Each structure stands twice: as structure tokens, then as C-alpha cells.
Amino acid sequence: MIEMKDVYKKYPNGVIASNGISVKINKGEFVYVVGPSGAGKSTFIKLMYREERATSGSIIVNNTDVTALRDQKVPLLRRQLGVVFQDFKLLPRLTVYENIAFALEVIEQQPTIVKEKVMHVIAKVGLAKKAQHFPHELSGGEQQRVAIARAIVNKPAVVIADEPTGNLDPDTAWGIMDIFHEINQDGTTIVMATHNKDIVNSLRRRVIAIDGGEIVRDEYGGDYGYES
Ligand code: ADP
């Protein structure tokens, strides 16, 4: 599903945030990406959805070589990938329904199908009653649920999440993790950068630990592994 080979990323300021990373993530896996601040977790994730371009090496995501992808083709890639951020990134002037439909409508024209798909994912994240609310009328956890619904509405093969519980209290974070695990059980590959030690240690999955731009540990059913 995702394969990185000898990936280097050097930022214009000279920082090497990915120092020869090679890794393979198979379809249906759930992967936590852990490591201290500045380790290169976000860069690892941004390279996958082509927010950043690798300096060298190859990155294949769902049969697409994202390193060779032209900028105009990036939106096409983004429809095969759902991305969830720490700060939700919802459009403030659009309702819950519209935020999600916006992600879909570009490719899906028929209004009845749009409605069916949007309402399906809204129900999946438990927000059926809030479809007509605006983001500022929702709690942080609810906003993140909307962001997840938006990420999965195109039925992507992979969902990538960068610290999705970073702005949420522990109880809310658990609710969000439950949704990610449900999505994973439906067969979607999940790659999640996180600092949430409790979650990584309780819901054991593959753990890729990054430090200094390198993978320092890659373990199935691993624990969080360091004090932060
Ligand atoms: P993490 O997500 O683990 O905190 P990052 O991938 O954000 O780590 O950062 C890895 C390193 O790259 C850090 O030293 C950071 O300062 C640097 N870095 C990240 N983004 C940029 C950027 N856009 N320009 C320059 N340096 C960056």
C-alpha cells in the first residue's frame, strides 16, 4: 500500500528531516508513528500525501509514485488518501454537511448520491443530529469527527493522521481512536503520528519509532517506548 525507499528530505534551511527512510506498510495495517518532537514524524507523513516533496528516494502510495507526481495531480492523490490533522482544518463558513460534501462534490455530481454518501459518513462518526451545525458550534472532539468523516467520504485506501488527538482531552481522544479502529476494521490502512502514550500502549498495533529522521524501531504490537 505504501512503500518508501531510501527517502531523504532536506529542508531549505539544511535540516535533514528524513535521513534514508525505507519502509513498507501493507493494506489494512494500523501503524502508529512515534518519536520525540522534531524527530521527523510530520515530515514522514507529509511526504506520503505530498505536502512535502522528497529530496531523493521513492515513495509509492496506493500504486502512485508520489515523488514523481506533478503538482496538478496532487488533488487526485488526495482523493485516494484521507488526511486528518491535529487542528481539524474545517472550513468555518460551511456546515458539517457542507464541509464533507465539499470533499466529495468535485468528483461526484449526482445530488442524491452525494447526500447518501455524506449522511452515511456523518452517521458513522455519530453526528447525524449535527449535520446542519457550523464548526464553531461543535466541541473539539465533534470537530475532529467531522474531519474524519471528510477524510473517509471518498472511501480512501489509506487514512493518514498527524496527531489527531493532540488537541483533545483524554476521554474525547479515546472516542476518536475508537472511530479510527472501526475504519481500520473496514479494511482501510491507517498511519497515525501520535504522542498519546496511553493509547499506543493500550491499543497495540505496529509502532514505527522515528528519531533524527531515521526509523529507530519498527515493531508489531509494540509499546510507546520512551518518556516524553
Ligand atoms: P516531528 O513531527 O517529529 O515533531 P518534524 O517532521 O515536524 O518533526 O520536523 C523534523 C525536523 O525538520 C525538525 O528539526 C524541524 O525543525 C524541521 N522542519 C520541519 N518542517 C520544516 C520546514 N518546513 N522547514 C525547515 N525545517 C523544518
Side-chain angles (χ1 to χ4, degrees):
M1 183 55 56
I2 298 172
E3 188 166 8
M4 291 195 176
K5 271 194 202 147
D6 288 329
V7 174
Y8 286 83
K9 173 65 185 176
K10 187 177 184 180
Y11 284 110
N13 61 359
V15 171
I16 295 172
S18 180
N19 193 12
I21 287 184
S22 295
V23 71
K24 215 175 189 172
I25 296 171
N26 294 316
K27 183 169 167 40
E29 281 200 72
F30 194 118
V31 180
Y32 296 116
V33 180
V34 305
S37 254
K41 303 181 298 296
S42 287
T43 302
F44 180 73
I45 276 188
K46 285 175 180 169
L47 289 166
M48 286 179 193
Y49 65 93
R50 249 298 289 281
E51 179 71 14
E52 292 290 348
R53 208 190 254 274
T55 310
S56 66
S58 80
I59 305 171
I60 310 290
V61 177
N62 199 20
N63 300 320
T64 302
D65 183 347
V66 306
T67 45
L69 203 65
R70 288 156 160 246
D71 287 345
Q72 305 98 290
K73 296 270 166 115
V74 170
L76 267 174
L77 170 75
R78 299 278 171 83
R79 275 175 228 143
Q80 299 166 42
L81 287 181
V83 188
V84 176
F85 304 94
Q86 178 170 357
D87 60 354
F88 326 133
K89 294 201 194 301
L90 300 176
L91 296 166
R93 291 174 191 278
L94 300 186
T95 63
V96 167
Y97 183 95
E98 290 164 346
N99 261 282
I100 298 163
F102 189 73
L104 189 63
E105 242 147 14
V106 193
I107 51 170
E108 189 58 85
Q109 297 301 329
Q110 258 188 300
T112 52
I113 293 176
V114 168
K115 188 168 183 199
E116 196 180 302
K117 288 186 175 176
V118 174
M119 289 315 294
H120 176 75
V121 290
I122 291 180
K124 194 169 175 83
V125 300
L127 286 179
K129 290 188 178 142
K130 306 228 163 154
Q132 299 310 325
H133 286 230
F134 287 90
H136 73 267
E137 299 172 316
L138 304 177
S139 68
E142 288 170 337
Q143 290 185 54
Q144 195 58 300
R145 284 168 190 265
V146 178
I148 294 171
R150 178 182 59 185
I152 61 172
V153 71
N154 289 312
K155 294 193 183 297
V158 185
V159 171
I160 292 173
D162 197 351
E163 299 275 0
T165 60
N167 284 358
L168 306 174
D169 64 68
D171 281 350
T172 309
W174 278 103
I176 294 296
M177 289 307 298
D178 287 343
I179 297 175
F180 278 110
H181 279 91
E182 263 177 47
I183 295 166
N184 178 240
Q185 268 154 22
D186 295 340
T188 308
T189 308
I190 312 269
V191 181
M192 178 184 296
T194 183
H195 276 122
N196 200 319
K197 187 175 180 173
D198 289 344
I199 284 170
V200 173
N201 287 345
S202 303
L203 295 165
R204 297 271 176 140
R205 292 292 186 271
R206 182 176 177 185
V207 174
I208 294 178
I210 297 186
D211 204 353
E214 295 179 13
I215 293 181
V216 293
R217 181 165 59 104
D218 183 356
E219 196 178 4
Y220 285 85
D223 66 3
Y224 189 77
Y226 71 96
E227 293 304 319
S228 59

